[in-house]
Amino acid sequence: MLKWFRQILAAPIFERDIDKTNMAKHVHTMTWLALLMMLAYAIALPIFDAQLMARDILLIPLFALQIAVLAWVRRGQVRLGAIASLAGFWVMLGIASFMSGGVRSAPYNGHIVLILIAAILLGWRVALGVAGASLAQGLVLVWAERNGMTPPLASTPISALLLQAVFFITGAGSLHFATLDIKEALNR
């Protein structure tokens, strides 16, 4: 059982493709970090801010998507996994931003982490695309708010702090793994 658990946690290795192995390692590790952060947030939000616990429902499809990402990465579909994960988070942040009051809400700030991860995993062109899509999403949210379609700002200080903690840790983890990749490349 312990061997099986270690195999699940270990990133796949593609012996004939070092670049794919490096990207798989990063996507695999970041996916596990995302799963851990979502679980921590889902547990902490009802404890510290029970009035907003209905938002945890947004995490269920995203959690399931991350499990699929792990499977895709293991099967060698690393780029697909990375794109699907980023797209899933982008959609979830948009919905959460809408539910929380628009571009001034805490969830909208998470787009910067997505742009950072897109740049590290998929390059500057994809990161620029994610930035453009996030700005477009922001414009839609501004329009919706101006037309009275969004609820008033709904983040409490503790819910905003919990979400920012998720963003900080995920961003720091992504940068850490990126710098490890750079160090490994320089040592080769």
Side-chain angles (χ1 to χ4, degrees):
M1 173 103 173
L2 191 57
K3 184 179 178 184
W4 175 82
F5 189 68
R6 284 185 187 156
Q7 287 176 336
I8 294 294
L9 290 178
I13 297 171
F14 304 100
E15 297 193 19
R16 295 183 183 153
D17 194 339
I18 292 173
D19 291 334
K20 188 176 196 177
T21 296
N22 285 336
M23 186 175 175
K25 180 174 63 172
H26 192 87
V27 173
H28 182 84
T29 305
M30 288 306 300
T31 302
W32 277 110
L33 179 61
L35 287 167
L36 181 64
M37 290 291 91
M38 286 189 294
L39 184 61
Y41 183 78
I43 292 169
L45 188 62
I47 293 170
F48 294 109
D49 205 344
Q51 67 186 5
L52 298 175
M53 69 185 268
R55 291 184 189 173
D56 276 355
I57 197 82
L58 291 175
L59 297 176
I60 295 169
L62 196 55
F63 200 88
L65 176 62
Q66 297 313 301
I67 299 299
V69 167
L70 289 172
W72 287 326
V73 169
R74 193 149 303 281
R75 290 186 184 123
Q77 297 171 311
V78 180
R79 189 168 174 81
L80 171 65
I83 291 169
S85 182
L86 287 170
F89 276 104
W90 184 85
V91 168
M92 187 273 302
L93 287 172
I95 293 168
S97 296
F98 179 83
M99 290 172 56
S100 299
V103 295
R104 294 176 291 156
S105 67
Y108 189 75
N109 296 326
H111 286 88
I112 190 66
V113 177
L114 290 183
I115 295 163
L116 171 76
I117 293 171
I120 291 168
L121 291 179
L122 301 166
W124 70 271
R125 287 186 176 125
V126 175
L128 193 59
V130 173
S134 297
L135 285 171
Q137 188 182 80
L139 287 172
V140 170
L141 289 168
V142 167
W143 175 84
E145 185 176 353
R146 283 189 172 179
N147 288 291
M149 300 168 86
T150 60
L153 280 176
S155 296
T156 64
I158 194 69
S159 71
L161 179 63
L162 287 171
L163 197 52
Q164 296 305 324
V166 169
F167 298 154
F168 294 164
I169 293 167
T170 305
S174 186
L175 285 174
H176 170 71
F177 296 119
T179 57
L180 281 179
D181 289 346
I182 293 168
K183 288 178 184 177
E184 287 176 8
L186 290 174
N187 288 334
R188 281 188 232 147

